[in-house]
Amino acid sequence: MDLKLLLISTLLGVFCYSNAQKEGNECINANAKYCGECIQAGAKCGWCKDPDFLKQGETVSTRCDELQSLIKRGCSDAMIENPHGEQKTLKNKTVTNRRKGAEKLRPEDITQIQPQKLSLTLRSGEPQTFNLKFKRAEDYPIDLYYLMDLSYSMKDDLENVKNLGTSLMLEMSKITSDFRIGFGSFVEKTVMPYISTTPAKLLNPCTGDQNCTSPFSYKNVLKLTSNGKNFNTLVGQQQISGNLDSPEGGFDAIMQVAVCGDHIGWRNVTRLLVFSTDAGFHFAGDGKLGGIVLPNDGKCHLENNVYTMSHYYDYPSIAHLVQKLSDNNIQTIFAVTEEFQPVYQELKNLIPKSAVGTLSANSSNVINLIIDAYNSLSSEVILENSKLPEGVTLAYTSRCKNGVVSEGESGRKCSNISIGDEVRIRKFISVTSKGCPKQGKPEIIKIKPLGFTEEVEITLNFICECECNKDGIKNSQLCHFGNGTYECGACKCNEGRVGRQCECSSNDVATEDMDRTCRKDNGTDICSNNGDCVCGTCECKKRDNPEERYSGQYCECDNFNCDRSGNKLCGGHGRCECRVCICDPMWTGSACDCSLDNSTCMASNKQICNGRGTCECGTCKCTDPKFQGPTCETCPTCPGGICLFTYSRVMACYSHGLVIFCTLISSCLNTAAPRCVSDCPAGPDIIPIVAGVVAGIVLIGLALLLIWKLLMIIHDRREFAKFEKEKMNAKWDTVSVWNLKRLFGRRAG
């Protein structure tokens, strides 16, 4: 079971490796027939325009390859077409460093984003990058439009909003000296079937003795103005209306506020829309209940400041609203009661640059709600871009406050930005298409911060052809009597012509006579079964691995079927040409596995193989059978592999400062086994380090032995002297006794 799994894993590995190589070289896979196709395949692709570059059997498309591969195959840098993109800054006005209280500027004279205009020339697959700077200007003008639900449930709220103008003016003066406010109201479409009413009921939809105005979809009550008192007066004249279902027609009103700029009076400044309600909303599709089937057209339909097409067009969809609010740089604040907070929080998540605040039961907190929501919106910068041409992608990397770096979708946004803070956002533009968008015609895209009118305009130009294309010769004689254009070192054939020199008609490419010229001899396959016969010439097949190629007149050669060593083609020390290894310098052999470098055979005595062998392919071949090892330094026939010497050699070596242990000498002299006898080495390297240690011990031992012997001699001499003295004393004693005896004997006689 384990063997099967191993085999399957190996096969999968080989399959994935070959596929990865095939997919990895986009230049080869492009099968480009001319230079323009090649450079569109990817940023790593180059085209060799050298007329003599192709080998016999190679197709024109093999001129297209990765740069290093082309150089390795013999194409010089000067002959490689490899264009690069560029960028130019066309307008680069510095961001405004305006302070509150300074000279008042017109909105159009304030700059918050830099640069303003760029031109990028893009090469397929090669990114062009540029830096974008955004700085919120202090004392920047603000337009605020208050859009209020005037259904009956908002009666108490209307009373508090009537004084909103002057109060809000006072608070906003702390933020900007240029503030304008407007007012609009909405209720509901008047054709919904579930509003079962009589004409009289439509005139006064409220119950009891309440005096209400007729239902309406949307009214623009007050155009944006800097006169807060006028706001209070007009709002104070408003009356509530009635509706029998809870959801309101607020989306109709938002759409008209967004697209009717002239009626509302929007300037190119910060635009805020406050949407105040205590109910949910109708959206696209709900109009069908009233027989309205036409989708909202997103256009302005105000007559006398009243939306007149509510009975004709359906409610807009959320996506439609998002688009129009973004197009018109409007930031939305949803001021809703606590009951509908969850609904509008979900809506906020779908509308960029929007905020939700909790409205008290009677809207008494509306000013604080607006101020808090504005601070929240203005502390966040979100970049958006216009629709991109097919194949063009934008990637964002932002460096925000305190050095925080974000990428991807998060790179579009910076948070916690205060007025006067500078945001640097780096843009990364990459062309990923294989072709040129719209045949290479310039395209314009725009990038801007959401909620702001300022933007960066970018003109995109595309590199679709090589520079050498400009020097192309149409109907060139080099292309078989003018059957093609000679450009970039190759023929670009006219329609209906094929072949390297456009020498054949596409109708004649498979005749028997032509096939005959593609066989090496009668017994071989067409193009060695490694190519196709085109116009009587072999065009070799491509391999899955782009590094492997067939070549030759009959595609009989390749660069991958040479001898291997260490599982590497040509041992990793050469290149394979027509199934023969061409070795690198200092290497030889059929697989380039034989090194001509003899440094690995050099012994420490600076002799090749210690003078006892020859160096072959970087390895010592010892000529003396008694020696072996990497440099023929060891003798396996002696104890421990140490070379022993005869007594005469010991004496000879002694003059070199070498001392051989006596027992080893005696064992070598007394044994019948073969001895290792050799000339004394030039240095101590032939004696192992251990022998040196032993020699030291022997010297110490001999010294001690000599001292002991000297002491013994001294001791023996002392003992002998003592013996002689005692002997003399013994002789004296004998003579004395004899003399006494003779003396006393005489006296006795």
Side-chain angles (χ1 to χ4, degrees), residues 354-413:
S354 63
V356 178
T358 302
L359 194 65
S360 62
N362 58 2
S363 296
S364 58
N365 67 333
V366 68
I367 292 179
N368 290 334
L369 185 155
I370 292 172
I371 297 297
D372 292 344
Y374 169 74
N375 289 332
S376 174
L377 289 172
S378 59
S379 68
E380 186 174 65
V381 177
I382 302 175
L383 294 179
E384 67 167 359
N385 51 264
S386 59
K387 185 178 179 181
L388 301 175
E390 184 180 358
V392 177
T393 59
L394 280 177
Y396 294 82
T397 300
S398 61
R399 182 178 293 277
C400 303
K401 197 173 182 179
N402 300 324
V404 177
V405 177
S406 301
E407 297 179 346
E409 284 302 306
S410 298
R412 292 175 176 265
K413 179 170 62 176

Side-chain angles (χ1 to χ4, degrees), residues 43-318:
K44 296 180 180 179
C45 301
W47 176 272
C48 184
K49 59 184 179 183
D50 185 349
D52 302 321
F53 174 67
L54 295 183
K55 294 181 180 178
Q56 202 166 31
E58 290 185 333
T59 61
V60 174
S61 63
T62 56
R63 288 182 178 274
C64 183
D65 206 340
E66 293 182 356
L67 303 182
Q68 291 304 316
S69 180
L70 289 175
I71 294 172
K72 188 176 180 182
R73 291 167 56 197
C75 189
S76 64
D77 284 336
M79 299 302 289
I80 296 177
E81 281 286 318
N82 179 35
H84 293 286
E86 61 179 5
Q87 57 180 275
K88 294 179 181 178
T89 302
L90 305 179
K91 188 177 180 181
N92 194 30
K93 189 178 178 182
T94 305
V95 292
T96 303
N97 290 314
R98 185 190 185 198
R99 298 288 180 182
K100 190 174 180 181
E103 181 184 358
K104 192 169 183 178
L105 298 175
R106 296 179 304 169
E108 55 268 28
D109 294 331
I110 298 174
T111 302
Q112 298 184 108
I113 194 167
Q114 181 186 357
Q116 296 82 38
K117 205 168 187 179
L118 291 171
S119 174
L120 300 182
T121 300
L122 300 173
R123 157 84 186 271
S124 178
E126 180 188 59
Q128 286 293 319
T129 63
F130 64 92
N131 290 326
L132 184 150
K133 183 193 298 182
F134 178 81
K135 183 176 182 179
R136 283 187 57 208
E138 293 191 35
D139 198 23
Y140 193 68
I142 299 174
D143 285 352
L144 185 147
Y145 191 84
Y146 198 93
L147 182 60
M148 184 175 182
D149 175 6
L150 284 190
S151 58
Y152 187 77
S153 57
M154 294 287 287
K155 180 180 179 181
D156 293 341
D157 303 79
L158 179 59
E159 292 301 318
N160 284 307
V161 172
K162 287 179 179 179
N163 296 317
L164 179 65
T166 51
S167 301
L168 189 57
M169 279 281 184
L170 181 62
E171 287 297 321
M172 292 302 290
S173 66
K174 300 175 183 177
I175 300 173
T176 177
S177 60
D178 189 355
F179 176 73
R180 299 199 311 172
I181 190 171
F183 184 82
S185 59
F186 67 92
V187 181
E188 180 57 282
K189 292 181 183 293
T190 59
V191 295
M192 303 303 290
Y194 42 82
I195 304 179
S196 179
T197 58
T198 63
K201 193 67 174 176
L202 286 175
L203 293 176
N204 185 6
C206 298
T207 59
D209 57 354
Q210 296 292 333
N211 187 21
C212 297
T213 188
S214 301
F216 58 92
S217 179
Y218 163 67
K219 288 181 182 179
N220 177 28
V221 177
L222 176 65
K223 189 175 181 178
L224 288 164
T225 179
S226 57
N227 190 335
K229 292 182 179 179
N230 191 26
F231 179 94
N232 292 351
T233 301
L234 287 176
V235 173
Q237 297 172 0
Q238 301 304 304
Q239 290 182 302
I240 59 170
S241 184
N243 186 21
L244 296 183
D245 69 333
S246 178
E248 311 292 2
F251 276 17
D252 271 343
I254 293 176
M255 177 62 78
Q256 293 303 299
V257 171
V259 299
C260 297
D262 292 338
H263 292 80
I264 304 299
W266 292 120
R267 297 177 296 171
N268 286 330
V269 297
T270 298
R271 299 174 176 180
L272 299 178
L273 168 61
V274 179
F275 181 86
S276 175
T277 184
D278 65 350
F281 48 82
H282 286 296
F283 53 88
D286 288 353
K288 293 179 181 179
L289 297 175
I292 302 173
V293 296
L294 288 177
N296 195 288
D297 65 352
K299 295 180 180 179
C300 181
H301 297 287
L302 291 184
E303 293 183 11
N304 297 321
N305 287 321
V306 176
Y307 179 42
T308 59
M309 301 297 284
S310 66
H311 65 287
Y312 192 75
Y313 290 115
D314 193 5
Y315 303 99
S317 65
I318 295 175

Side-chain angles (χ1 to χ4, degrees), residues 294-473:
L294 288 177
N296 195 288
D297 65 352
K299 295 180 180 179
C300 181
H301 297 287
L302 291 184
E303 293 183 11
N304 297 321
N305 287 321
V306 176
Y307 179 42
T308 59
M309 301 297 284
S310 66
H311 65 287
Y312 192 75
Y313 290 115
D314 193 5
Y315 303 99
S317 65
I318 295 175
H320 201 180
L321 274 184
V322 170
Q323 177 194 343
K324 292 301 180 181
L325 289 171
S326 175
D327 289 347
N328 291 281
N329 309 303
I330 296 173
Q331 304 177 62
T332 309
I333 299 172
F334 294 106
V336 298
T337 55
E338 187 172 2
E339 178 185 359
F340 288 93
Q341 272 283 318
V343 174
Y344 284 90
Q345 282 290 348
E346 291 297 323
L347 182 60
K348 168 192 171 295
N349 295 334
L350 300 174
I351 302 179
K353 291 294 282 184
S354 63
V356 178
T358 302
L359 194 65
S360 62
N362 58 2
S363 296
S364 58
N365 67 333
V366 68
I367 292 179
N368 290 334
L369 185 155
I370 292 172
I371 297 297
D372 292 344
Y374 169 74
N375 289 332
S376 174
L377 289 172
S378 59
S379 68
E380 186 174 65
V381 177
I382 302 175
L383 294 179
E384 67 167 359
N385 51 264
S386 59
K387 185 178 179 181
L388 301 175
E390 184 180 358
V392 177
T393 59
L394 280 177
Y396 294 82
T397 300
S398 61
R399 182 178 293 277
C400 303
K401 197 173 182 179
N402 300 324
V404 177
V405 177
S406 301
E407 297 179 346
E409 284 302 306
S410 298
R412 292 175 176 265
K413 179 170 62 176
C414 280
S415 302
N416 301 319
I417 305 300
S418 303
I419 293 175
D421 285 346
E422 189 172 277
V423 181
R424 292 181 181 270
I425 303 178
R426 185 181 180 223
K427 296 291 176 304
F428 180 79
I429 299 178
S430 173
V431 179
T432 57
S433 65
K434 295 299 179 183
C436 287
K438 293 191 177 179
Q439 293 77 46
K441 294 180 180 179
E443 294 276 353
I444 293 179
I445 62 172
K446 295 180 180 181
I447 298 174
K448 68 174 184 178
L450 273 173
F452 293 84
T453 58
E454 296 175 67
E455 61 188 13
V456 181
E457 182 180 292
I458 306 169
T459 302
L460 301 181
N461 302 291
F462 303 94
I463 299 176
C464 298
E465 289 291 349
C466 300
E467 280 296 315
C468 57
N469 171 261
K470 298 176 181 177
D471 301 323
I473 303 172

